[in-house]
Amino acid sequence: MPTRPEHRGRPQRGVTIEDVARGAGVSRQTVSNALNAPHRVRGETLERVKTVIEELGYRPDQSARSLKTGLRYTIGYQAPDDDPFNPNPVMGGFLTALCDAAAASGYRLLLFRPRPGASDPRAAYEDLIAARQVDGFILSDVLADDPRVDHLGGLGFPFVAFGQTGPGRPQDWVDVDNARGMHDVAALLAARGHRRVGYIESATNVPWFAQRYSGFTRGAAEHGLDVATVLEPRAAGAAGESRGGLTMAIQLLLRSPQRPSALVASADPLALAAYDAIRAEGLTVGADIAVVGFNDLPLSGLLAPQLASVRMPLPAIAQELVARLLAQVHGGEPAAAGSLLPPEVIIRGSIQPR
């Protein structure tokens, strides 16, 4: 096998696909398949071809490749709106997982946003389609009336969604099973001896919070838990005002004759108010009142005690989204049904056996 250790991994001028084929002892077509359709190549052969590509520093001619296949090997992804000084770590983690999943299939992401002030995102998608810059789109933050879903479905352009698209609409989507995650939390609390639980609900009206609430109340009914719900106040002022109002509401619940022994937050930031309220009542998080969140944000590990939380399978979601999209890009029909992937309850010090 020819090697050039001094240039290992560096693109070399003049290295061709034929050089790779000779070095790996395979045909030119096998090398092409390894680059463009790795699922067609046996595992041992694929690894041998990859090794020679790395040794020789071969890089395919992307422009020639695109002319031959008609593909751009690029996936469009509308970056969600976010605050650069307070970014959403869930979607940041998803973007990292999505980049990795795309790269593993020989694709790259093209991040874009609609023009500033644009109320309708569809023009941004049409611009990319008209310019033939992407082979398909992955959508996130999908809501029940999301205009992108029907528009792209009507155009027949490949796309998949991170989030359920709703009945009567294209169903090629992948989502975390929010209901199952909270159902598992209810089962865990029951197994640890809890009988009365406070559920802290977000004031944000999005489907995943409704799914979490439905899953938890169903699990609570199955396991004989008594549930009292506390709704996050819709504060007109700063976020701190909302947290303060929520803390007071949780304190009132903790002062009731039927004090809950556990609090479940529909999202990790709401658990901060639970910690505040528990301490304000002279109680100890974990020992006196268990607390569980959802999303497993970085703050979970910074709290004392660390917050138990439900972790979404972001890498698995990204991998399935890319696989579904590329199936469409390579001529397949959109899937007729979506896919729910199970999350995992991460147990930490904020939840202890009764």
Side-chain angles (χ1 to χ4, degrees):
M1 180 183 299
T3 60
R4 302 179 185 179
E6 67 277 16
H7 298 299
R8 184 186 294 263
R10 299 179 185 176
Q12 298 299 301
R13 187 181 301 276
V15 176
T16 67
I17 193 171
E18 286 79 9
D19 295 329
V20 176
R22 281 194 296 271
V26 298
S27 68
R28 185 183 189 282
Q29 184 59 50
T30 298
V31 177
S32 178
N33 287 341
L35 293 168
N36 302 312
H39 59 279
R40 297 181 181 175
V41 184
R42 289 187 303 175
E44 180 183 345
T45 302
L46 180 62
E47 289 305 313
R48 188 164 72 250
V49 172
K50 286 182 176 179
T51 298
V52 175
I53 287 173
E54 181 65 22
E55 292 285 355
L56 298 181
Y58 172 71
R59 296 295 182 270
D61 184 334
Q62 290 296 331
S63 59
R65 188 183 179 198
S66 293
L67 285 172
K68 178 180 179 181
T69 63
L71 299 175
R72 293 295 178 264
Y73 301 96
T74 301
I75 297 169
Y77 177 66
Q78 180 184 343
D81 292 334
D82 209 352
D83 180 352
F85 299 104
N86 185 27
N88 182 338
V90 173
M91 298 314 295
F94 173 65
L95 178 58
T96 297
L98 193 58
C99 286
D100 290 341
S105 296
Y107 275 69
R108 62 176 65 87
L109 291 185
L110 189 155
L111 298 182
F112 69 97
R113 277 210 178 107
R115 296 179 184 275
S119 59
D120 189 339
R122 289 176 290 188
Y125 287 80
E126 291 177 351
D127 288 346
L128 291 174
I129 294 171
R132 300 186 62 211
Q133 290 185 284
V134 298
D135 301 315
F137 294 102
I138 290 177
L139 314 182
S140 66
D141 285 345
V142 174
L143 300 176
D145 58 351
D146 197 311
R148 301 172 299 175
V149 173
D150 290 331
H151 189 62
L152 292 174
L155 293 175
F157 198 78
F159 81 96
V160 293
F162 176 15
Q164 301 175 46
T165 56
R169 313 179 82 198
Q171 294 296 305
D172 209 342
W173 53 261
V174 182
D175 200 7
V176 60
D177 194 340
N178 288 284
R180 175 172 173 177
M182 280 303 196
H183 187 282
D184 290 346
V185 169
L188 175 63
L189 291 174
R192 293 191 168 220
H194 296 276
R195 290 297 173 262
R196 182 167 172 78
V197 179
Y199 187 87
I200 307 169
E201 178 66 295
S202 171
T204 306
N205 185 25
V206 292
W208 43 93
F209 284 120
Q211 294 158 11
R212 292 171 193 177
Y213 182 75
S214 173
F216 184 78
T217 53
R218 179 166 47 86
E222 291 177 9
H223 294 282
L225 298 181
D226 184 14
V227 180
T229 301
V230 178
L231 180 63
E232 177 191 22
R234 291 182 178 273
E241 295 179 28
S242 176
R243 177 172 166 183
L246 180 58
T247 299
M248 293 178 62
I250 297 171
Q251 283 184 259
L252 290 176
L253 177 62
L254 295 178
R255 293 171 189 168
S256 68
Q258 302 280 331
R259 188 180 78 190
S261 60
L263 297 171
V264 177
S266 56
D268 288 345
L270 301 180
L272 297 178
Y275 273 57
D276 292 343
I278 292 168
R279 288 166 176 157
E281 292 301 303
L283 301 170
T284 302
V285 175
D288 297 317
I289 310 289
V291 183
V292 184
F294 199 109
N295 285 337
D296 195 30
L297 302 182
L299 69 85
S300 300
L302 300 177
L303 297 174
Q306 293 183 337
L307 175 65
S309 189
V310 180
R311 176 181 294 171
M312 297 196 293
L314 295 177
I317 290 172
Q319 289 161 16
E320 183 164 347
L321 284 167
V322 170
R324 281 171 171 254
L325 179 64
L326 296 189
Q328 291 186 45
V329 168
H330 294 292
E333 292 293 323
S339 175
L340 289 174
L341 301 187
E344 177 186 6
V345 182
I346 306 299
I347 299 175
R348 298 192 180 95
S350 68
I351 177 172
Q352 300 177 8
R354 295 286 289 164

